């Protein structure tokens, strides 16, 4: 019997599996999934000298390709999704920024439809429940304390597609909001926070499991006042997000996180805004004006870093070539760990048989050469 026309064998590459890297490996794609055995008549693609790694999973992303997930039309959101797919991100959560409650609820309705049709993996609400002391690129006049009733309102508006809320858990209502989220299987992430070490420990004990872009928008590590960073790094229950663009973090800070938390507790994210994959110029982040110059996004007023223009292929390459993180560890941080946190690791995050055929082809210098999503080439190597 002839093999299926949509069967492909990717042969000769270094393939990164959960068990380690296989030299001269093979990945068999049948239809939309990875297969354990090769049917007769399958097309072979020779990828000698390349790497094949799982598709990237970005759990914190505000937009790209000139489009904003917070304010864009459905078509614009899809443009942003497509832009990141072309850079290897085959699974993406749309992050909002601080806005009026009714506006955020309305956006949740729009984005939830895109989750339901498979274009997005969920919604992340970053703000408005964050600290004015550590607001970053969020409008101070729209910030509010984390009221569990309001958190619930956004969860309901998202119709089961809310994956994560970033909260300053030290604010009134913060701990109760963490408990509410944990009870409903939604990630409570500690971020944009002015919490002490002790307040952070209390939030983790209440059910928080993620540090939103560790180091950024929180008090620095101190020797007498260790603050949230020490609590987040030391606790096995916490996964720390890192923005590896060379602007948000000093390489030594990235190394400290990997060394102290370990590769199984790091999630590489973009925190991308509209300019990712698009270029320098003037943009809006929620209600705030942003200027992107030389690839760095800053608020026009005040100069705060306003998200990034990062794509995950760049984060991957930098982690391996500049930071000297082992490839297997980078794959865990950029695919397996976020997939597990988002509860989608039964389908994505590794190259195991039965999972979606989501994968990225990199050359020997870790430049992106191919992207496949659900068995279809987005970029053919």
């Amino acid at each position: 019997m002839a093999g299926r026309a949509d069967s492909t064998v990717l042969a000769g590459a270094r393939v990164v599996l959960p068990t380690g890297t296989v030299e001269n490996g093979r990945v068999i794609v049948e239809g939309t999934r990875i297969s354990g055995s090769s049917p007769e008549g399958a097309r072979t693609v020779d990828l000698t000298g390349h790497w094949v790694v799982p598709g990237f999973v970005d759990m914190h992303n505000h937009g790209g390709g000139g489009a904003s997930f917070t304010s864009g039309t459905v078509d614009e959101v899809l443009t942003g999704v497509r832009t990141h797919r072309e850079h290897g991100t085959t699974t993406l959560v749309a992050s909002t920024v601080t806005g009026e409650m009714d506006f955020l609820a309305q956006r949740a309705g729009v984005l939830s439809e895109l989750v339901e049709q498979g274009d997005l993996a969920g919604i992340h609400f970053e703000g408005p429940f964050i600290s004015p002391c550590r607001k970053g690129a969020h409008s101070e006049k729209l910030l509010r304390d984390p009221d569990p009733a309001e958190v619930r309102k956004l969860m309901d508006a998202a119709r089961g597609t809310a994956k994560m809320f970033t909260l300053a858990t030290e604010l009134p209502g913060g701990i109760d909001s963490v408990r509410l989220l944990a009870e409903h299987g939604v990630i409570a992430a500690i971020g944009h926070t002015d919490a002490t070490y002790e307040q952070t420990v209390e939030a983790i004990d209440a059910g928080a499991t993620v540090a939103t872009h560790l180091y950024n928008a929180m008090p620095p590590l101190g020797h007498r006042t260790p603050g949230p960073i020490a609590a987040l790094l030391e606790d096995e229950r916490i996964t720390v997000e890192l923005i590896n663009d060379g602007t948000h973090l000093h390489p030594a800070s990235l190394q400290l996180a990997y060394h102290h938390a370990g590769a199984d507790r790091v999630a590489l994210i973009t925190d991308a805004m509209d300019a990712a994959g698009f270029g320098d110029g003037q943009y809006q982040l929620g209600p705030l004006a942003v200027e992107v110059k030389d690839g760095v996004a800053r608020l026009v007023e005040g100069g705060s870093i306003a998200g990034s223009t990062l794509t995950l292929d760049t984060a991957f390459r930098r982690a391996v070539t500049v930071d000297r993180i082992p490839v297997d560890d980078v794959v865990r941080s950029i695919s397996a760990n976020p997939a597990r946190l988002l509860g989608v690791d039964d389908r994505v995050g590794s190259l195991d048989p039965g999972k979606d055929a989501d994968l990225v082809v990199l050359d020997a210098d870790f430049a992106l050469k191919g992207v496949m999503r659900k068995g279809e080439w987005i970029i053919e190597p």
Side-chain angles (χ1 to χ4, degrees):
M1 193 174 129
R4 287 173 52 163
D6 55 354
S7 299
T8 305
V9 179
L10 309 179
R14 287 174 159 175
V15 178
V16 182
L17 302 173
T19 49
T21 298
V22 177
E23 301 285 340
N24 193 23
R26 297 195 318 160
V27 178
I28 300 154
V29 176
E30 200 163 354
T32 63
R33 296 182 186 274
I34 295 168
S35 174
S37 59
S38 173
E40 277 182 44
R43 185 170 75 100
T44 298
V45 178
D46 181 10
L47 292 176
T48 304
H50 291 72
W51 293 81
V52 176
V53 300
F56 308 145
V57 180
D58 194 354
M59 57 190 279
H60 186 155
N61 186 317
H62 298 278
S68 162
F69 297 152
T70 300
S71 57
T73 63
V74 166
D75 284 346
E76 286 168 344
V77 172
L78 290 172
T79 295
V81 170
R82 226 170 10 252
T83 298
H84 285 283
R85 281 184 190 164
E86 288 167 0
H87 291 274
T89 298
T90 50
T91 302
L92 185 147
V93 169
S95 303
T96 61
V97 296
T98 295
E100 298 281 4
M101 285 295 297
D102 288 345
F103 173 75
L104 290 173
Q106 181 265 329
R107 286 307 295 172
V110 172
L111 295 171
S112 65
E113 289 184 21
L114 295 175
V115 178
E116 285 157 8
Q117 64 192 41
D119 295 298
L120 295 170
I123 304 170
H124 162 217
F125 294 98
E126 188 180 24
F129 310 116
I130 60 176
S131 171
C133 310
R134 304 283 172 182
K135 65 183 186 295
H138 291 256
S139 172
E140 186 165 356
K141 68 178 190 288
L142 295 174
L143 300 182
R144 54 218 293 141
D145 290 341
D147 176 347
E150 293 194 319
V151 171
R152 186 66 197 251
K153 176 183 175 176
L154 292 181
M155 280 170 57
D156 289 346
R159 302 201 302 266
T161 67
K163 289 287 186 181
M164 183 161 69
F165 279 73
T166 293
L167 310 169
T169 51
E170 76 279 8
L171 295 174
I175 297 297
D176 287 340
S177 295
V178 169
R179 290 198 183 104
L180 172 74
L181 292 166
E183 280 165 20
H184 286 84
V186 178
I187 296 166
I190 299 171
H192 288 276
T193 175
D194 205 38
T196 63
Y197 174 88
E198 291 76 15
Q199 287 170 324
T200 306
V201 169
E202 185 187 4
I204 297 168
D205 286 341
T209 54
V210 166
T212 293
H213 43 54
L214 186 74
Y215 302 113
N216 298 115
M218 57 182 67
L221 192 59
H223 61 296
R224 280 194 292 271
T225 51
I229 294 170
L232 294 164
L233 277 177
E234 75 183 9
D235 198 298
E236 296 288 326
R237 295 169 288 184
I238 291 289
T239 299
V240 298
E241 294 182 345
L242 298 174
I243 308 169
N244 193 24
D245 61 353
T247 299
H248 279 78
L249 296 178
H250 189 283
S253 299
L254 181 109
Q255 290 287 354
L256 177 70
Y258 266 98
H259 177 76
H260 206 75
D264 287 328
R265 287 181 45 220
V266 171
L268 293 176
I269 59 157
T270 60
D271 193 16
M273 47 80 74
D274 318 16
F278 202 66
D280 289 0
Q282 303 289 324
Y283 295 88
Q284 286 289 125
L285 191 60
L288 303 177
V290 174
E291 183 178 13
V292 178
K293 191 175 176 187
D294 301 326
V296 178
R298 292 188 180 275
L299 291 184
V300 170
E301 208 171 302
S304 260
I305 293 179
S308 84
T309 60
L310 185 63
T311 52
L312 280 181
D313 58 330
T314 301
F316 190 111
R317 191 178 191 184
R318 182 180 174 86
V320 175
T321 61
V322 176
D323 303 304
R324 303 295 176 189
I325 307 293
V327 174
D328 292 18
D329 288 351
V330 178
V331 167
R332 288 213 283 281
S333 305
I334 213 163
S335 301
N337 299 344
R340 184 187 70 247
L341 284 163
L342 296 170
V344 294
D345 54 332
D346 58 328
R347 291 187 289 107
V348 300
S350 68
L351 297 176
D352 289 321
K355 293 196 179 180
D356 289 352
D358 290 4
L359 56 87
V360 175
V361 179
L362 305 167
D363 69 14
D365 298 319
F366 300 97
L368 184 138
K369 293 295 173 188
V371 182
M372 177 183 281
R373 184 173 186 272
K374 293 191 176 178
E376 284 190 30
W377 289 113
I378 291 165
I379 295 175
E380 190 160 359

